[in-house]
Amino acid sequence: MHALHQEILPASGVEFATSLKLLPSTLHDSSSPTSSNIRHEIASRVLCNVVVARSNLLRIFEVREEPAPFPTQADDERERKGKTRRGTEAVEGEVEMDEEGEGFVNIAKSAIQKTKLPTVTKFYFIREHRLHGIVTGLEGVRIMASLEDKLDRLLVSFKDAKIALLEWSDTIHDLVTVSIHTYERAPQLISLDSPLFRSDLRVDPISRCAALSLPKHAIAILPFYQTQAELDVMEQDQSQAKDVPYSPSFILDLPIQVEENIRNVIDFVFLPGFNNPTIAILFQTQQTWTGRLRESKDTARLIIFTLDILTQNSTIITSVEGLPYDAFSLLPCSTAIGGVIVITGNSVIYVDQSSRRVSLQVNGWATRISDLPYPPMEEDATLKLHLEGCRSAMVDDKTVFLIYKDGTVYPVELIADGKTVSKLIMAPALAQTTIPTVVKRVDEDHLFIGSAVGPSILLKTAHVEQEVEEEHGSKSGPAVVTQDVTMDDDDDDIYGDSTMETEPTANGVTHVRKTKTVIHLSLRDYLPAYGPISSMTFSLAMNGEKAVPELVAATGAGSLGGFTLFQRDLPTVKKRKILYISGSRGIWSLPIRQPLRSNTSHGHDYDTLILSTDINPSPGSSRIAVRSMNRDVSINSRTPGLTIGAAPFFQRTAILHVMTNAIRVLHPDGTERQTIPDKDGNMPRPKIRFCSIADPFVLVMREDDSIGMFVATDREKIRRKDMSPMGDKSSRYLAGCFFTDTTGLFEANFDNKSPATTSTLQITSGAKSQWLLLVRPQGVLEIWTLPKLSLAFSTPAIASLQSVLTDTHDPPAPSLPQDPPRKPQDLDIEQILLAPIGESSPTPHLCVFLRSGQLAIYEAVVLGQNPEVPDTPRATSLQIQFVKIAAKSFEIQRPEENEKGILAEHKKINRMFIPFVTSPRPSVTYSGVFFTGDRPHWILSTDRSGVQVYPSGHNVVHAFTPCSLWESKGEFLMYTEDGPILVEWVPDFQFDGPLPMRSIPRGRAYSNVLFDPSTSLIVAASSLQSTFTSFDEDGNNIWEPDAPNISSPSVDCSALELIAPDIWATMDGFEFATNEYINDMTIVTLETAATETGTKDFIAVGTTIDRGEDLAVKGATYIFEIAEVVPDQAVSQRRWYKLRLRCRDDAKGPVTAVCGLSDYLVSSMGQKIFVRAFDSDERLVGVAFMDVGVYVTSLQTLKNLLLIGDAVKSVQFVAFQEDPYKLVLLSKDIQSVCVTRADFLFSENDLRLVTGDEEGIIRIYEYNPQDPDSREGRHLLLETEFHGQREYRTSVLVAHRIKEDQSIPNSRLLTGSADGSLASLTIVEEEAFKRLGLLQGQLMRNIQHMAALNPKAFRIVKNEYVSKPLTRGILDGNLLGQYESLPINRQSEATQQIGADRVNVLRDWIELRGSWS
């Protein structure tokens, strides 16, 4: 059996982050115009770039400061397509978000700041990559080339001890690899025996070198050249300065080259302000733990040494011993003070260069576990913080922010006289933010807090002079949090009276007031994330009346915990069915101004009529419908003939109506104003097959690929437009469209060198530039200016869907002779559209669809600073390029090509790109594109994610239009297999990832989640914390806190919740003991006398009972049933259910796994598993047992077969028989593997066993007694080992039908990982596996991989028991997915080398990709 491993969702959250100036846009004072609002063009600027990473996902963002939107009607109209987000939005677990102003004011400069425009700071997505490596560090560096372009480079470290140097390339609008440095063959890694080791990356503050920690107390040093003098010293050729920005790296063996006692490095950092790179290392020569503090404590040490890169020698300048054993982090101080801060579990310690220590205890434990002298806790004697898991950052020279493990921000101030620190002061908690994983400064005024378990946030920090009372000056905190409001004349009401430092009183005596600089915080933006997936299940969600499968995942941690719901298709709700309008060939909802209804102030904002068309009765019919008084629709007029297109015209006072043989102008009531028959003299032309309308222009394309253009006149008439600059009348075109540049990008980057005095662009006050896109049969894309047709852009690269489309400056392409007439080709461009896509700042995107089924989406970006200009450039040109950012292939069927005449017209499916603007909520506006046809998809993009392509969930969509006829900006009209329907998006779904998702915050994390199909309810186990108390035999408390700053120990506990998934309200619950938590739970079918069938579904729960470190743990098995009860009419009118405990069975050990097997319950206890029957609905009776391993982690059943996963003994395959009752060991794995999850994977005639371990390795086993290597079936045969690189503890089996007539579907395994990723394991047929396997080898060798990583080595598993890696049984979906985005010529080259056909390979991939059926 062969399989495909595919990553459906990437890792969620942020584990590593860095701030740098990576893109050229960060160098300009103001960014290129991205809005029609002049105010935004002037004030918008890019502060910097933020690069974040989690697992193998790398993302790049721009941090952009923009003017806050003004709440005026004029701005609403100008920014109708996207800007408005007024008011603040709450982010889960965080403070309120600043959307309207800076939220702070400098009292000393209030007069100046009152004239400053309020701003908002936002993230904007740039690029993302799924790498073939696990990221362990991100840093920005400056090399010699940075002296010229002023840009930083990105340094990325990986799990397998590699460092990649990347830089931004304007040519491809993406990162390119400068160099890759690998240390995996270093002596420290050859015999690596600790898989938990993670290499940390650090960079010198002025980029002189980078350091990567290695096992066995070593550091790899990568030096960078900073000046030409360094090159001269190294005797290198000067021409190599830009090509080789680094000198040879070396490994620093710390015990040998620095200090012999350096062992067990805890943390290391570079310190600023030294002539040579200076490193501070925190380590522990002799390790200890809490139970040995009487014998050994204060074992941590700190050494600061300087490093001479040329001689590789080091000099120790500071050595400090006797630091607390629980020290875990270092924070370098600024050059104004110097030194380093050591963060321990119970204290904060400042160490200067003279080894002097200044400490601050945060609880009463600090003095009990350490002999380090601490000042008494005078100000807050009840403080009892635990700093494990906290993160820290310097926000100025004397203030440190400690972000507690629950997200609470505590400011710590360094009281210093000059450079001598005398005291540390911790102020009260300042704010509640996200649970921190990484904290980074972003430019001078912002702080980024990245979280791996929830949203990551961007805070703005502002230093404000605040008056303090003389007697309370020493106790005032160094920072405050501000509520975000619009900055106006009411600042004094917010911050108190504005006073100067000196103020004359009435008698003329000057009174001096004391002020203090404090830091104000305001939340600016966030990056959404849901965190780790601890459990998941499929439920049945109701999108209106339609039932769809929905993946319910228990995500997050702590206060950020809850549920995340995923659907495969973009969820929509059918609001109503509108049979009157029909519209199987087209629907257009138009906002035409009605003179009689002009009494409403906002009437023109909404659509006023619907124009629809059908093919029946022949030759077609068209109708205009308006809304009636009862909110229904009524037909206003009917016209025989098929409509090709319709749009508002003459400033929305008329309807431009294009039919197959004429262009008509209609009054708002549907009466005819003007008609232009599409004739050549008296000869009729071929039928019009497509049109594009952009007031005042009309483009028509006929069935013979000829085109015609019409333009409005001053008398509100239309006339034909001269197209002679584009060629003669014999010119042919495959596709075309108009583009109205609402973003200003094209207008700002249009280069016109023609000697004519008049501009080729029609730019009037408030108007947008308009452009014409045309595709010629030879595959040339041309962009023409309007109204004067001048060629501004031309490229033949679109024919093969190249990665970047740039202007070749060619003249208009000649029309080739077509005798006989040209027939359509598979690689012809069938549809093209240039439209804005995005959320707050939509950008132009080029959508291209080929007849063969390839969809490509390009983003328009500004051309690089030094583009290649041909010898004879055109007089007019667009200084932009199109970069491919998404690609998807479809299997297209064309039944109309096998028919003729009317039957062919009836079977024809229109595949078109239709742009739309929608506001599903008042504060959110999306600009996107809908793709109609038999593969209908939504094309969307948000501010914080790239372009996403979502299926619509319909079999076919013949017609589509956004519709606001019923005064809603979030509705759409579409003609589907159900007829004409009005739909809207399901609220609260987010579109920031490959699957539409919806977050259900609950304020607590969940360890297990189930869906009960009989009641359609969710059963979930919440993970909580409670105070632990231990008692002796007489029931006396063994230990109690003896001081107010001593905290009691905490322990995990659980509660069972019964949740209604439609309203996400808890119906009932069951609380376990405060020292008992749930390990596993499942739905089991057990025998009962309460039903007619004799069986019923119950909830089985296995728990662990903690009793302290001196007593062994126990456990219990619970059986619950979901019972319907009479609802309380005062609370709810709906059906109500409760959890009823039917049985509790105590165990001598933890019950770690439970499952159902043939109406029996299987549970684990210690080294045994038991099969039990449910007797008399009140007790469990054992019928069979077996000794299996050490600690059972997984139990799965299939009929009477049982699969057992163990933390030490790998996996065992067991059968159960009832006569007599017996468990029979069929086979087992003889190797020692820590299995976290075991599952069955089966096809129609085959069965395999799949396991995942704690390192993320996926193994496939076969049970085959006929194989001699299996020892008559006693040993499982290991077929494949594949490194998934992430541990998963939850999985779901779903059906996967490759063929529609497949009676028994294959199984597909979905796995949810601790990093938030969702992956699938799909069975692959033999023939498809051979093709895709060969293709995978070609892709490994022949395409450029980001950061020069090796995809093959990324998936190889080291196994000492086999001669070569067993990786051939599982294909890498992340690698194969890149084939879809390759240019067509490169796709053909790759398949030709393996003797396969490109179409067959794409068909194989289309059948296997995706999430679930």
Side-chain angles (χ1 to χ4, degrees):
M1 181 183 290
H2 308 292
L4 169 73
H5 180 271
Q6 185 183 4
E7 193 178 87
I8 301 172
L9 291 174
S12 176
V14 173
E15 192 174 3
F16 304 97
T18 188
S19 171
L20 71 167
K21 293 186 180 296
L22 185 66
L23 272 69
S25 58
T26 59
L27 303 179
H28 305 303
D29 293 334
S30 61
S31 61
S32 58
T34 57
S35 171
S36 59
N37 195 330
I38 301 300
R39 180 170 59 89
H40 285 266
E41 294 181 12
I42 296 174
S44 179
R45 65 190 182 102
V46 178
L47 301 179
C48 62
N49 297 114
V50 170
V51 183
V52 299
R54 175 80 192 273
S55 190
N56 67 329
L57 180 67
L58 182 76
R59 293 180 291 168
I60 306 173
F61 295 91
E62 270 185 357
V63 179
R64 195 181 302 168
E65 189 177 56
E66 300 175 341
F70 288 151
T72 63
Q73 181 178 348
D75 273 1
D76 287 344
E77 181 65 18
R78 283 197 299 267
E79 298 178 4
R80 181 175 58 89
K81 292 195 174 181
K83 279 284 184 200
T84 63
R85 176 172 289 163
R86 291 184 196 85
T88 57
E89 285 187 6
V91 181
E92 301 96 294
E94 303 175 9
V95 296
E96 292 295 307
M97 184 172 178
D98 186 331
E99 291 287 11
E100 293 239 342
E102 298 191 1
F104 56 86
V105 61
N106 189 331
I107 300 299
K109 300 180 180 179
S110 59
I112 300 176
Q113 290 203 1
K114 285 186 185 292
T115 62
K116 183 179 179 181
L117 286 175
T119 60
V120 295
T121 311
K122 301 186 67 175
F123 285 114
Y124 284 94
F125 175 85
I126 301 296
R127 296 288 272 186
E128 76 174 13
H129 289 282
R130 299 189 188 184
L131 307 175
H132 300 290
I134 302 298
V135 177
T136 61
L138 291 175
E139 294 290 348
V141 296
R142 298 183 71 85
I143 59 177
M144 283 194 62
S146 302
L147 300 176
E148 297 181 6
D149 58 22
K150 310 299 182 184
L151 295 177
D152 299 335
R153 270 61 180 173
L154 179 64
L155 209 60
V156 188
S157 66
F158 297 95
K159 179 182 175 181
D160 49 356
K162 293 178 181 176
I163 300 177
L165 181 62
L166 310 174
E167 68 179 5
W168 184 262
S169 171
D170 277 338
T171 304
I172 63 172
H173 196 68
D174 203 351
L175 292 173
V176 294
T177 307
V178 177
S179 60
I180 180 76
H181 309 266
T182 176
Y183 305 96
E184 54 188 343
R185 296 192 179 184
Q188 289 81 3
L189 281 94
I190 291 179
S191 59
L192 180 61
D193 54 359
S194 175
L196 299 179
F197 178 82
R198 191 186 76 180
S199 56
D200 294 322
L201 179 67
R202 303 285 187 269
V203 168
D204 179 68
I206 56 176
S207 300
R208 290 171 292 194
C209 65
L212 183 71
S213 62
L214 300 178
K216 300 181 181 178
H217 338 296
I219 295 178
I221 303 294
L222 177 61
F224 295 104
Y225 296 128
Q226 295 298 313
T227 62
Q228 190 65 38
E230 295 181 9
L231 279 175
D232 298 337
V233 171
M234 298 297 294
E235 296 181 354
Q236 299 247 347
D237 183 47
Q238 295 183 7
S239 63
Q240 296 181 355
K242 297 179 183 178
D243 299 333
V244 185
Y246 51 86
S247 60
S249 61
F250 59 92
I251 294 178
L252 191 68
D253 195 322
L254 298 175
I256 297 176
Q257 298 177 263
V258 180
E259 213 273 349
E260 61 181 2
N261 292 319
I262 295 182
R263 299 282 191 280
N264 309 310
V265 176
I266 301 170
D267 194 13
F268 74 103
V269 293
F270 282 92
L271 302 184
F274 290 86
N275 293 329
N276 287 326
T278 303
I279 302 176
I281 291 187
L282 181 67
F283 63 95
Q284 231 178 358
T285 304
Q286 179 186 358
Q287 291 182 312
T288 186
W289 67 292
T290 310
R292 296 191 70 251
L293 289 182
R294 291 187 178 181
E295 289 78 19
S296 179
K297 61 180 176 180
D298 293 337
T299 56
R301 295 182 57 187
L302 175 70
I303 284 182
I304 302 176
F305 65 92
T306 61
L307 179 65
D308 190 331
I309 294 177
L310 294 179
T311 62
Q312 301 181 13
N313 294 328
S314 61
T315 302
I316 296 177
I317 59 176
T318 302
S319 179
V320 179
E321 298 182 357
L323 296 176
Y325 81 102
D326 57 350
F328 64 88
S329 176
L330 294 177
L331 179 65
C333 297
S334 66
T335 55
I337 292 181
V340 64
I341 294 176
V342 182
I343 311 294
T344 75
N346 305 294
S347 61
V348 180
I349 304 170
Y350 169 78
V351 181
D352 63 12
Q353 299 175 25
S354 62
S355 302
R356 193 173 61 88
R357 293 169 289 187
V358 180
S359 55
L360 169 69
Q361 56 178 327
V362 297
N363 57 44
W365 288 109
T367 56
R368 305 188 184 198
I369 67 168
S370 173
D371 293 334
L372 193 70
Y374 289 97
M377 300 178 64
E378 298 175 354
E379 298 180 2
D380 192 357
T382 62
L383 190 65
K384 45 185 178 181
L385 300 179
H386 299 279
L387 299 184
E388 292 90 349
C390 87
R391 299 294 184 268
S392 58
M394 297 285 299
V395 292
D396 62 20
D397 292 341
K398 296 182 180 181
T399 307
V400 179
F401 274 1
L402 293 181
I403 295 93
Y404 198 50
K405 58 186 176 183
D406 65 352
T408 308
V409 179
Y410 290 92
V412 176
E413 187 175 9
L414 282 69
I415 306 300
D417 183 9
K419 284 195 171 186
T420 303
V421 175
S422 59
K423 189 177 182 182
L424 302 180
I425 296 179
M426 174 177 284
L430 177 63
Q432 179 80 23
T433 67
T434 188
I435 296 176
T437 301
V438 60
V439 180
K440 288 287 184 180
R441 289 287 302 275
V442 177
D443 69 33
E444 296 298 327
D445 300 327
H446 293 83
L447 189 68
F448 177 72
I449 304 177
S451 175
V453 298
S456 302
I457 66 171
L458 181 67
L459 295 173
K460 184 160 189 176
T461 61
H463 295 77
V464 179
E465 295 294 330
Q466 183 168 306
E467 180 184 350
V468 295
E469 297 295 335
E470 194 70 33
E471 59 272 17
H472 299 294
S474 60
K475 293 186 179 181
S476 62
V480 298
V481 65
T482 65
Q483 293 294 329
D484 298 323
V485 294
T486 303
M487 289 182 60
D488 52 22
D489 294 336
D490 297 331
D491 286 333
D492 293 343
D493 298 333
I494 302 168
Y495 299 101
D497 295 334
S498 299
T499 58
M500 304 300 291
E501 292 187 1
T502 60
E503 180 180 346
T505 59
N507 57 6
V509 179
T510 301
H511 178 66
V512 179
R513 294 180 179 268
K514 185 176 181 181
T515 61
K516 183 176 182 179
T517 301
V518 298
I519 300 173
H520 281 198
L521 285 180
S522 58
L523 181 61
R524 311 302 277 178
D525 204 358
Y526 71 101
L527 297 179
Y530 51 83
I533 298 177
S534 57
S535 181
M536 61 185 184
T537 186
F538 271 100
S539 71
L540 201 62
M542 298 300 296
N543 292 344
E545 300 176 355
K546 182 180 179 182
V548 295
E550 186 173 64
L551 185 66
V552 180
T555 58
S559 61
L560 300 181
F563 301 106
T564 304
L565 316 180
F566 300 98
Q567 291 193 18
R568 184 194 63 177
D569 307 326
L570 192 148
T572 56
V573 174
K574 182 172 72 173
K575 300 189 68 174
R576 60 194 303 181
K577 194 169 184 177
I578 311 174
L579 296 176
Y580 306 106
I581 63 173
S582 189
S584 61
R585 276 292 182 261
I587 304 176
W588 297 267
S589 183
L590 308 178
I592 306 300
R593 294 178 183 174
Q594 301 283 355
L596 298 179
R597 298 185 182 180
S598 59
N599 55 348
T600 58
S601 58
H602 294 282
H604 62 278
D605 286 341
Y606 298 110
D607 297 340
T608 56
L609 60 88
I610 298 173
L611 194 152
S612 58
T613 187
D614 291 278
I615 191 65
N616 286 325
S618 181
S621 63
S622 303
R623 62 194 66 81
I624 295 178
V626 297
R627 200 180 81 176
S628 57
M629 298 299 294
N630 60 355
R631 297 184 63 84
D632 210 336
V633 294
S634 60
I635 304 300
N636 200 11
S637 66
R638 300 177 186 269
T639 304
L642 188 66
T643 298
I644 302 300
F649 220 67
F650 298 125
Q651 288 77 44
R652 295 192 296 183
T653 60
I655 306 170
L656 198 288
H657 186 205
V658 179
M659 306 187 74
T660 56
N661 57 359
I663 294 90
R664 308 169 67 213
V665 180
L666 306 179
H667 290 287
D669 58 357
T671 57
E672 186 175 299
R673 180 195 293 188
Q674 180 188 6
T675 299
I676 299 181
D678 189 32
K679 294 183 178 181
D680 186 5
N682 294 325
M683 296 294 295
R685 298 179 185 269
K687 290 183 179 180
I688 298 173
R689 60 175 175 86
F690 173 79
C691 73
S692 179
I693 307 170
D695 191 6
F697 301 102
V698 182
L699 172 71
V700 297
M701 308 192 77
R702 306 180 183 91
E703 292 181 348
D704 64 346
D705 293 340
S706 62
I707 66 170
M709 190 181 298
F710 301 84
V711 64
T713 64
D714 296 337
R715 299 179 180 179
E716 293 194 349
K717 298 285 186 179
I718 60 172
R719 61 172 177 83
R720 295 184 184 273
K721 180 172 176 57
D722 178 36
M723 297 183 295
S724 56
M726 302 165 59
D728 54 20
K729 293 184 178 181
S730 63
S731 298
R732 295 294 183 262
Y733 304 89
L734 297 180
C737 70
F738 289 114
F739 171 61
T740 302
D741 185 17
T742 59
T743 66
L745 179 67
F746 279 40
E747 177 188 348
N749 294 280
F750 178 64
D751 186 14
N752 185 6
K753 299 178 181 178
S754 58
T757 56
T758 58
S759 173
T760 59
L761 295 180
Q762 180 181 0
I763 306 296
T764 59
S765 176
K768 317 297 180 188
S769 62
Q770 292 178 298
W771 309 78
L772 174 62
L773 280 74
L774 291 172
V775 178
R776 302 200 181 239
Q778 54 267 49
V780 177
L781 169 67
E782 297 176 349
I783 301 179
W784 297 78
T785 64
L786 291 173
K788 295 189 175 182
L789 292 172
S790 300
L791 185 60
F793 187 94
S794 175
T795 177
I798 196 173
S800 56
L801 301 181
Q802 295 295 320
S803 300
V804 180
L805 307 180
T806 55
D807 188 7
T808 58
H809 289 265
D810 292 333
S815 295
L816 303 177
Q818 296 189 346
D819 190 19
R822 181 181 182 274
K823 293 184 178 180
Q825 307 293 322
D826 283 342
L827 298 182
D828 281 353
I829 295 176
E830 184 174 298
Q831 281 292 324
I832 191 169
L833 177 71
L834 185 59
I837 297 178
E839 187 181 352
S840 296
S841 295
T843 56
H845 285 71
L846 180 66
C847 302
V848 184
F849 183 71
L850 305 187
R851 277 180 52 86
S852 56
Q854 275 73 49
L855 169 67
I857 303 169
Y858 293 83
E859 181 183 6
V861 298
V862 180
L863 204 58
Q865 297 179 352
N866 299 311
E868 296 183 4
V869 180
D871 297 334
T872 57
R874 284 194 309 268
T876 56
S877 64
L878 270 174
Q879 301 298 314
I880 63 170
Q881 61 183 359
F882 296 93
V883 181
K884 185 158 63 173
I885 56 175
K888 194 166 187 177
S889 298
F890 304 103
E891 189 173 359
I892 297 297
Q893 304 292 336
R894 298 182 182 274
E896 71 273 8
E897 294 185 354
N898 299 324
E899 305 290 344
K900 293 183 179 180
I902 298 178
L903 191 59
E905 188 66 28
H906 277 268
K907 289 187 176 183
K908 183 180 178 182
I909 298 177
N910 287 329
R911 301 178 182 89
M912 299 179 62
F913 293 115
I914 301 177
F916 66 88
V917 178
T918 182
S919 296
R921 300 188 301 276
S923 59
V924 177
T925 302
Y926 292 105
S927 299
V929 174
F930 188 85
F931 182 56
T932 65
D934 51 352
R935 299 292 186 270
H937 279 71
W938 303 85
I939 303 174
L940 295 172
S941 176
T942 67
D943 290 340
R944 307 174 188 92
S945 73
V947 169
Q948 309 292 345
V949 183
Y950 297 126
S952 73
H954 303 92
N955 295 329
V956 62
V957 175
H958 296 284
F960 171 90
T961 181
C963 179
S964 60
L965 189 66
W966 286 271
E967 299 180 356
S968 172
K969 291 290 188 178
E971 295 177 344
F972 306 93
L973 263 176
M974 55 176 64
Y975 194 100
T976 69
E977 66 272 13
D978 298 328
I981 58 175
L982 183 71
V983 302
E984 68 176 357
W985 292 350
V986 175
D988 300 327
F989 268 82
Q990 302 173 20
F991 310 113
D992 297 307
L995 293 178
M997 69 177 185
R998 176 186 170 200
S999 295
I1000 309 293
R1002 303 280 293 181
R1004 55 192 176 276
Y1006 291 85
S1007 60
N1008 303 84
V1009 61
L1010 295 173
F1011 176 74
D1012 180 45
S1014 60
T1015 59
S1016 297
L1017 298 178
I1018 295 289
V1019 183
S1022 58
S1023 299
L1024 308 169
Q1025 290 277 314
S1026 64
T1027 300
F1028 178 76
T1029 305
S1030 183
F1031 299 92
D1032 59 14
E1033 296 178 354
D1034 299 329
N1036 299 319
N1037 195 344
I1038 295 177
W1039 180 86
E1040 291 182 351
D1042 55 359
N1045 55 10
I1046 297 294
S1047 58
S1048 298
S1050 60
V1051 67
D1052 292 328
C1053 64
S1054 293
L1056 202 62
E1057 299 182 22
L1058 185 64
I1059 302 171
D1062 51 350
I1063 58 176
W1064 290 101
T1066 300
M1067 288 184 162
D1068 194 21
F1070 181 86
E1071 291 188 3
F1072 294 88
T1074 56
N1075 61 336
E1076 185 175 12
Y1077 56 88
I1078 294 175
N1079 295 316
D1080 192 19
M1081 70 177 191
T1082 187
I1083 296 178
V1084 296
T1085 303
L1086 301 177
E1087 295 180 353
T1088 179
T1091 62
E1092 295 181 357
T1093 59
T1095 59
K1096 186 179 180 181
D1097 288 345
F1098 295 88
I1099 309 297
V1101 177
T1103 67
T1104 291
I1105 302 174
D1106 279 335
R1107 301 192 297 161
E1109 58 187 11
D1110 295 331
L1111 298 174
V1113 295
K1114 290 187 176 182
T1117 304
Y1118 294 80
I1119 302 295
F1120 295 90
E1121 73 168 332
I1122 302 176
E1124 186 173 2
V1125 296
V1126 178
D1128 185 353
Q1129 299 297 325
V1131 177
S1132 175
Q1133 301 292 328
R1134 56 181 295 147
R1135 299 175 66 180
W1136 207 257
Y1137 297 87
K1138 284 188 176 294
L1139 285 171
R1140 182 176 298 166
L1141 177 62
R1142 302 304 302 267
C1143 173
R1144 182 183 191 271
D1145 186 77
D1146 291 326
K1148 296 180 181 180
V1151 180
T1152 56
V1154 291
C1155 70
L1157 175 66
S1158 302
D1159 298 340
Y1160 297 95
L1161 173 68
V1162 182
S1163 62
S1164 68
M1165 188 206 71
Q1167 300 178 355
K1168 293 180 172 61
I1169 61 168
F1170 295 88
V1171 180
R1172 302 181 184 185
F1174 196 34
D1175 183 33
S1176 303
D1177 290 356
E1178 61 183 14
R1179 64 192 181 101
L1180 293 172
V1181 178
V1183 298
F1185 76 95
M1186 173 183 282
D1187 293 326
V1188 288
V1190 177
Y1191 185 93
V1192 176
T1193 57
S1194 174
L1195 289 175
Q1196 295 292 333
T1197 58
L1198 181 66
K1199 295 184 178 180
N1200 69 322
L1201 301 176
L1202 181 64
L1203 190 60
I1204 305 168
D1206 191 84
V1208 177
K1209 298 293 185 179
S1210 189
V1211 63
Q1212 300 181 46
F1213 191 35
V1214 177
F1216 173 66
Q1217 68 178 35
E1218 295 188 63
D1219 190 16
Y1221 290 110
K1222 188 179 181 181
L1223 286 170
V1224 180
L1225 179 63
L1226 299 178
S1227 186
K1228 66 178 182 179
D1229 182 21
I1230 59 174
Q1231 303 300 330
S1232 222
V1233 177
C1234 179
V1235 171
T1236 58
R1237 188 78 177 180
D1239 293 280
F1240 293 99
L1241 193 66
F1242 53 86
S1243 62
E1244 189 170 358
N1245 299 311
D1246 214 349
L1247 173 68
R1248 292 294 186 272
L1249 314 178
V1250 180
T1251 66
D1253 70 4
E1254 60 182 355
E1255 297 181 33
I1257 299 173
I1258 300 173
R1259 294 178 174 89
I1260 296 182
Y1261 297 90
E1262 180 188 12
Y1263 172 64
N1264 187 1
Q1266 283 75 35
D1267 194 308
D1269 293 337
S1270 69
R1271 306 291 178 91
E1272 298 179 351
R1274 295 193 301 271
H1275 295 172
L1276 290 174
L1277 300 177
L1278 178 60
E1279 279 191 343
T1280 303
E1281 289 181 308
F1282 181 87
H1283 213 315
Q1285 297 292 343
R1286 58 201 63 176
E1287 175 189 359
Y1288 69 90
R1289 293 181 180 268
T1290 179
S1291 60
V1292 178
L1293 269 180
V1294 296
H1296 178 237
R1297 283 182 170 87
I1298 299 178
K1299 303 174 183 176
E1300 294 183 359
D1301 57 347
Q1302 191 172 356
S1303 57
I1304 301 178
N1306 295 341
S1307 62
R1308 169 180 276 179
L1309 183 67
L1310 300 181
T1311 62
S1313 301
D1315 62 358
S1317 61
L1318 180 69
S1320 67
L1321 200 64
T1322 309
I1323 295 175
V1324 183
E1325 299 295 331
E1326 183 69 28
E1327 292 185 2
F1329 179 82
K1330 290 180 180 178
R1331 285 191 291 265
L1332 294 177
L1334 293 172
L1335 175 64
Q1336 179 172 286
Q1338 288 293 322
L1339 295 177
M1340 284 181 183
R1341 296 184 292 268
N1342 297 333
I1343 66 174
Q1344 293 283 344
H1345 302 292
M1346 181 55 61
L1349 296 170
N1350 185 351
K1352 184 176 181 180
F1354 184 54
R1355 300 303 186 183
I1356 283 180
V1357 178
K1358 295 180 180 179
N1359 191 337
E1360 298 178 355
Y1361 299 96
V1362 294
S1363 58
K1364 60 181 181 179
L1366 303 173
T1367 57
R1368 291 189 175 273
I1370 299 180
L1371 298 171
D1372 187 356
N1374 282 7
L1375 180 59
L1376 289 172
Q1378 299 181 31
Y1379 180 76
E1380 217 174 2
S1381 60
L1382 288 177
I1384 292 178
N1385 57 336
R1386 296 199 59 188
Q1387 290 182 355
S1388 301
E1389 291 174 5
T1391 52
Q1392 285 175 2
Q1393 294 177 7
I1394 62 175
D1397 182 55
R1398 185 185 70 89
V1399 176
N1400 292 334
V1401 169
L1402 283 175
R1403 186 179 296 114
D1404 294 336
W1405 175 249
I1406 293 171
E1407 290 177 350
L1408 295 172
R1409 74 175 181 205
S1411 49
W1412 54 83
S1413 302

